[in-house]
Every structure is written in structure tokens, then in C-alpha cells.
Amino acid sequence: MGYKKAFIYCACLFSAGIIFQFIAGDLDPSFLRYPWGAIGAALYVYLLFVFNYSADRYPRLHKFYDRYACVASLASMVMITVLFGLVRQDVHRTGLLSALGFTRMTASWPFNILLIYFTTTLGLNLVEDLYHFRQRKPVLMLLHSCVFVVLLAGIFGSGDKVRVRVSAQQNEPTDTGIHEGKPYLLPFTITLHAFSMEEYPAKIHMVDTLSGSTSEAHIMLERAGERGNLGEWEIKAERCYETAVPDSAGFRELEHIGAAPALRLHALNRRTKRQASGWVSCGSFLFDPSYLMVDDRYALFMPPRTAKHYLSDISVRDERGKIHPFRITVNHPARMGSWYIYQAGYDTRRGRWSTSSVFECVHDSWYQAVRIALWLLLLTGAWILFAAGDRRGNAR
């Protein structure tokens, strides 16, 4: 085929995907739900063998999966993945990029058509390897097989993925969530026992009360006696409370639900020598924020602190009645059979004092096949490294 024709063919597939995107909208994988996904995968693999057998009788068919087609399909997948990676993925966005499907990569026709083409070229070469097993290197065959299984599961298993959003209140067992806007009954019950959060230190900004603009510059004062500069103003922390509540004297330190960080600040204008002192707090769901006016126009304020790390202590009761305790953090889910329970959110209004957590329960019946393939891929990589090391040692 040649590289030029191979890349032109990929460009034609991309253009066809754009046309389908405009005509049909996003690709809905729901038609691949079990058992249709498994049937489709089996039929797809069968057709690969039929196509490869036909290519022996009609050599012109080889051009669809020769080395030029393989390189072009792989390069096209890399390019479109980078392209989509540069665009923010947001299903609610509008405009040209949204119409082209660039804001919803996994549901866009251009991406899926090129993905299927790349998977097909890989699959046909794998079938070719199987037909000529003795002339092929086993390590490369295993490498191709692992990648093919991962791609096959990703394509034909996309309809079997279930994502259930669960909002759990503390000490209230729940076994129901929301999936695609409808109630979904889970095969287990989740009970939230405790929620905890670690926050970044409080930031102090300068705000223009006339225009409402906020300075990009900020300072962080964590202990009494620390100083910082905001424009012409030198800011000194006189008192720092991690958790405090307002009282008649300003704020008093108290570890209690709804307490918030509070700082007593002293501000000095280095040019005019004007001074101001007072309390600054970001407030909480129980009381309003507190500002410090340093002159007739500008004020110091503390925005709500951002979460650094948060986790939930939960227990999960399975269908047999057995209880499993878990501690879930972001990117460290709990596993119940083929279900994974992710920490997805919390009550942002209450912040660190949240008494509820939001979990995302994900089920993927193809996950085990992908997991085995990935482990085999890792072992194959180690095999290649050791083999390369042995060859270098023998060469010496």
C-alpha cells in the first residue's frame, strides 16, 4: 500500500467519522450489553479468521493489514488521542468542538472508527501469526495477544459497564443509587461510618470592594508571628486558629462541628503607614465569612479552603450478609467481587464536617479478561528485557 496511501486511508476513515458524528450524534454503546457484546466479539474474531483466509486467495487484501497499514493505524490512534487529550472532556459543552465529538472522546465516531481499524489490523496480524506459529517469535505473539484482548474488551465490553452514583448518609445503610438517571439496586449495602478531610492551608487574598476583583497573589500564614506582603501592605498574623467560632470578642478557638479557620491579622501600608487589625475567616455552613477592611476600598479575605485529601470509612454487606470494612480514598477504591467503589465526592457545603459521601460504584464484566491481559503484558515486557540482557551478555 505504501505509507502515503495508508495515511490517506486513515484520513478517509477520520472524515467518515466526522460525517457520522454530524448525522447520528454520539455513539451509544448500549446495544453491546450482554449477551450482544459477547456475541459481537465472537463474530468479530470469526470474521478476522475469514478475512485472513480470504487474503491467502486474494493477495490484494493483504494491503489492509500490511506493515504500512499497521504503522499508519497506530500513528493515527496516537495523533487522535493526543488531539482529544488537548480538548477538555465535558459532555455539557457546546460549539464546534462539541459537534465534532471532540469533547466526548469515547463516544465520538472518529475515535471509535480509528480504534476499530487499529484493532482490526492488530487482530489480522495476530491471526497471521497463529497460522505461521513456527516462523514467529512467541514473545511478540504474546505481546500482540495481550494488546488485542485489552482493545477487544474495551470495544465490545463498553455496553456492559455500569456506573452507579450513590449518596450515603452517615450511619444510614443504602443499597440504591442512580444509573443513567434511573434508580439502580446494588447487590450490596453500603454504610458510611466516618468522613475525614485534610485541607490545604488557608490563603489570604486582597479584594477590591468597588470592582469585586480579587488579587491573584496570596499569602499563607499558618502560625502567629508569620508575615507576608500583598501589594503595598505588610500582613502579620497575630493569632491563628485552625478551628474557631465567632463570639463577642471576634473568634475563639473551639473544636466543634461547623468551626472554621480564623486569623487575627495586622495590616500595615508601607507607603502611607496606615494600619488595620481584625479577624479574617472563610466561614462555614454555620456562620458567614469575616473580612478585614484595610482602607476605604480594599479588604483582606480568606476563600474556602480546598481539599488536599479526603477519605471515607465504610462497611459493605454482601448478599450473604457478611460485612466487609473498607477505607476509601480518591484513586484507591474498594472492591466487592467485580464491583469497584470509588470515592467521588462529599457535601461541599459542610466541607470537612460533611456527614455524607458520594460514591461511584463501577461494574465491568470484562474487567477480569483485561486484568489478566495486562498482567501477561507486564510479564511479556519483563521477558523482553531479560532476553535483551542475555543477548548483550552473550555478545560480550
Side-chain angles (χ1 to χ4, degrees):
M1 179 185 289
Y3 287 118
K4 182 178 180 180
K5 290 184 178 179
F7 278 103
I8 290 176
Y9 185 68
C10 290
C12 291
L13 291 176
F14 178 80
S15 301
I18 294 294
I19 295 173
F20 277 115
Q21 187 70 37
F22 274 116
I23 296 175
D26 290 349
L27 179 62
D28 184 4
S30 60
F31 69 96
L32 291 172
R33 286 177 180 156
Y34 183 84
W36 302 113
I39 294 173
L43 180 61
Y44 174 75
V45 173
Y46 170 74
L47 291 176
L48 291 180
F49 280 92
V50 171
F51 190 93
N52 184 272
Y53 176 77
S54 301
D56 290 337
R57 301 180 60 184
Y58 306 99
R60 292 176 64 90
L61 295 179
H62 278 287
K63 68 180 181 180
F64 290 104
Y65 62 98
D66 60 10
R67 69 176 185 274
Y68 304 111
C70 291
V71 172
S73 62
L74 176 59
S76 299
M77 276 304 304
V78 172
M79 287 188 290
I80 195 172
T81 302
V82 172
L83 176 63
F84 278 80
L86 295 175
V87 179
R88 181 181 175 184
Q89 301 298 295
D90 185 355
V91 297
H92 301 294
R93 287 189 64 182
T94 58
L96 179 61
L97 292 178
S98 178
L100 294 173
F102 284 13
T103 60
R104 301 170 303 281
M105 180 174 71
T106 57
S108 69
W109 282 91
F111 176 82
N112 282 282
I113 287 178
L114 287 177
L115 176 61
I116 292 173
Y117 177 56
F118 171 63
T119 305
T120 301
T121 59
L122 178 62
L124 289 171
N125 278 277
L126 180 58
V127 173
E128 186 80 12
D129 291 342
L130 293 175
Y131 276 133
H132 304 87
F133 176 78
R134 294 184 178 182
Q135 290 79 33
R136 299 294 192 267
K137 294 182 179 180
V139 63
L140 293 180
M141 288 184 60
L142 182 59
L143 179 64
H144 293 162
S145 300
C146 294
V147 176
F148 180 74
V149 169
V150 172
L151 295 175
L152 189 72
I155 294 173
F156 291 95
S158 57
D160 285 332
K161 290 183 180 179
V162 178
R163 296 180 180 272
V164 183
R165 198 84 167 178
V166 179
S167 180
Q169 298 294 325
Q170 191 167 335
N171 298 322
E172 295 183 10
T174 180
D175 60 357
T176 304
I178 301 298
H179 171 59
E180 296 181 349
K182 300 177 181 179
Y184 187 96
L185 184 64
L186 294 166
F188 48 80
T189 301
I190 301 174
T191 302
L192 172 66
H193 298 290
F195 174 85
S196 58
M197 175 190 291
E198 182 182 351
E199 298 173 311
Y200 285 103
K203 299 177 182 179
I204 305 299
H205 290 260
M206 187 77 74
V207 60
D208 186 336
T209 59
L210 295 182
S211 65
S213 61
T214 302
S215 65
E216 293 185 5
H218 67 272
I219 58 175
M220 290 188 293
L221 305 175
E222 301 182 56
R223 290 179 293 274
E226 290 187 346
R227 300 173 183 267
N229 295 315
L230 281 176
E232 298 179 343
W233 295 88
E234 180 182 283
I235 315 299
K236 177 184 177 181
E238 297 180 333
R239 273 183 261 175
C240 295
Y241 295 152
E242 179 69 17
T243 55
V245 294
D247 64 2
S248 57
F251 283 83
R252 62 187 178 94
E253 192 171 16
L254 181 65
E255 180 73 23
H256 191 271
I257 295 176
L263 303 177
R264 180 170 177 80
L265 303 177
H266 178 268
L268 170 66
N269 189 302
R270 295 188 300 273
R271 183 176 60 85
T272 64
K273 304 303 179 183
R274 183 166 181 166
Q275 302 183 47
S277 295
W279 289 92
V280 174
S281 175
C282 60
S284 72
F285 65 95
L286 287 183
F287 59 90
D288 294 329
S290 178
Y291 304 85
L292 172 60
M293 296 295 300
V294 294
D295 57 22
D296 296 335
R297 180 173 180 177
Y298 293 97
L300 297 175
F301 87 106
M302 179 194 302
R305 294 202 294 181
T306 55
K308 182 179 182 181
H309 179 77
Y310 55 92
L311 59 88
S312 297
D313 288 311
I314 68 170
S315 63
V316 181
R317 181 167 58 85
D318 60 25
E319 294 176 305
R320 298 179 180 179
K322 186 177 181 180
I323 297 177
H324 308 266
F326 294 105
R327 171 166 287 185
I328 302 177
T329 63
V330 178
N331 297 326
H332 290 85
R335 181 184 173 188
M336 281 294 296
S338 56
W339 285 86
Y340 282 82
I341 306 173
Y342 292 86
Q343 176 79 61
Y346 56 93
D347 186 349
T348 55
R349 187 180 67 88
R350 295 175 66 96
R352 64 184 298 183
W353 304 110
S354 174
T355 57
S356 66
S357 279
V358 179
F359 304 110
E360 186 172 60
C361 302
V362 181
H363 177 267
D364 186 358
S365 57
W366 292 70
Y367 176 77
Q368 292 302 327
V370 174
R371 185 180 183 185
I372 293 173
L374 290 176
W375 276 108
L376 288 175
L377 189 62
L378 180 62
L379 293 176
T380 304
W383 184 1
I384 294 174
L385 289 176
F386 282 121
D390 289 340
R391 286 196 297 269
R392 286 196 297 266
N394 293 332
R396 294 175 182 175

